[in-house]
Amino acid sequence: QAYIDDFVESVRELLRRSGLRFKVKSRFKTVSSIYNKMQRQGVGFSEVYDLFAIRIILKPRARHEIAECWRAYSVISEKFTPNPKRLRDWITVPKENGYESLHVTVMGSGGRWVEVQIRTEDMDANAELGIAAHAKYKDGEMFEDNRWNEWIDKVRHILNDPELSDLEAVRSFRANLEPNNVFVFTPKGELYRMPTGASVLDLAYAIHTDIGDSAMGAKVDGTVVSLDYLLKPGDQVEVINSKKPRPSVEWLRMVKTPRAKEFIKRALAKQRRESIQKGREMFLWRAKKYNITEDHEVMKELLAFVMQPTKEDFYFALYQRQISADRIEKFIELKRNGNAVDTKYISQWEKKRQARLNTFEELGLSEDNLVLTSNEHLEEYALATCCKPMPGDSILGFLTGNKVTIHRTSCPKAIELMSNFGSRIIKAKWKEGGSHIDFMAGLKVVGLDKVGMLSELIQVLTYKMKLNIRKVTIESMDGMFEGVFIIYVKDIEELQAAVDRIVKLPSVFSVSRVDSDYVPFQDGPPQSSTGKASSLAT
């Protein structure tokens, strides 16, 4: 305390001589705070530079706020040697959340580092109180501060976008809350805040959708770079565009921002629709000479001959030149001669198509419910073992090669996948009308341990609900019991009905959904309660 008091007095004297109006706050870091920072950042004691810290709060002249902050910095750095690696300028370019301050670490007497924060009264109010500090309304108008208008406009755009799913909206909103640490400039001097790890392609989409769609490269400080170049602070970037849009599936691996990913997906979906339509026109123009329409009975043979599951896939492959004109000519010649397509083609095609349909049917999924970001043909679906989704759960798909794993959206693993592999997440929902198979689910039941309790629970599940029980694990402790029942149900509604029945039993306190490998009392002994509780996270 004595050390920081002496340092503050020296600073006050320097600032008074310079004619600045100010007040100074100070603090020194506690032992526990020092230890926590060392553990959190993995640094040694000698690398903790803010053991001592002071805050200089200026009352500047109007329109001289930034200049007087730098003037205070100049006065202090003349007396105390600054550490150039520890200078943080959030005045010239504020943080994305609006925080403004000038941080510098200087060497005080006795070889001790002291952190000095320099800001104005308005900056300090904003740092302490947040957006409420400057919420100025005038005749119903929005905030006067352009930074807040810009941020709120981003949020409004996310919330009003009808094409964003709930999960995509959450990811976009979360990305807007993350710190954007890279500041780059356009040739016109416009400043863009981008997240660390953003590429040139991210910047192109941040400028404008059309700029992104037609990007083909960029010049960074006069040097030509590719679209996957990672932006660095201070880069001056000129995006190079082609005359035609050119998004590809590979672009999804080059970008980090949700905005760029979303617009690339839209562009790819639009390209596919256009390709299908153009392929359809190509086919109908050729088929017209033979009086064949797309509903003609010969279409089934044609699809089998070129091994395409649907007409849309056929049109797309035709336009993309994945099916050669020679192949079509061979089919035409075959039919001209009055021959049928070899039965082996028909058999293979039907087997492949039926296997695909059966997989969808077993999972209660429909092909229309899966929106893909690329043109892979999905051959295999699997329910994730970590969360065991069932019809009625909110779900998503994770694409690995040609396999899709279905997770519940509340699954911790799914949340991790969304954070790290967002481009491989696909939309999915259950097919209406239910499923023909039973799904395994786990229920944790907590209540008062009494004679016959297990019998009551089994009667509810088997005799009243007509459900099959695969496994029961039950333990008692201190007059309480905790049981895990692994049961088979058709969907989430049937599981909820079981929960509603069990929770009505007089000696049951709570019922919740758990994984099938849950062990009783792994969360500690249950606590008795006078109220009822049921939890069924979907």
Side-chain angles (χ1 to χ4, degrees), residues 258-286:
R259 173 185 172 85
K261 289 179 181 178
E262 183 59 29
F263 281 111
I264 292 170
K265 290 177 185 178
R266 292 186 192 182
L268 293 174
K270 182 181 178 182
Q271 284 179 1
R272 182 171 176 83
R273 289 194 300 270
E274 291 174 350
S275 295
I276 289 173
Q277 181 57 31
K278 290 176 180 177
R280 179 173 176 269
E281 292 170 0
M282 288 171 58
F283 170 74
L284 293 178
W285 175 80
R286 185 181 293 269

Side-chain angles (χ1 to χ4, degrees), residues 436-501:
H436 301 298
I437 63 174
D438 288 337
F439 293 80
M440 191 169 64
L443 289 180
K444 180 179 78 170
V445 184
V446 178
L448 185 65
D449 187 19
K450 69 170 190 176
V451 176
M453 191 69 241
L454 179 59
S455 177
E456 285 185 43
L457 291 167
I458 291 176
Q459 281 188 0
V460 168
L461 294 171
T462 58
Y463 295 110
K464 294 181 180 180
M465 294 292 299
K466 308 297 183 186
L467 299 176
N468 288 324
I469 300 177
R470 178 180 178 181
K471 180 182 177 183
V472 176
T473 308
I474 193 163
E475 297 283 349
S476 62
M477 182 184 294
D478 300 331
M480 302 284 289
F481 81 88
E482 185 170 300
V484 177
F485 294 78
I486 308 303
I487 59 178
Y488 289 98
V489 292
K490 296 289 185 187
D491 51 34
I492 199 72
E493 285 75 18
E494 192 168 46
L495 184 62
Q496 182 65 61
V499 170
D500 294 341
R501 287 245 191 173

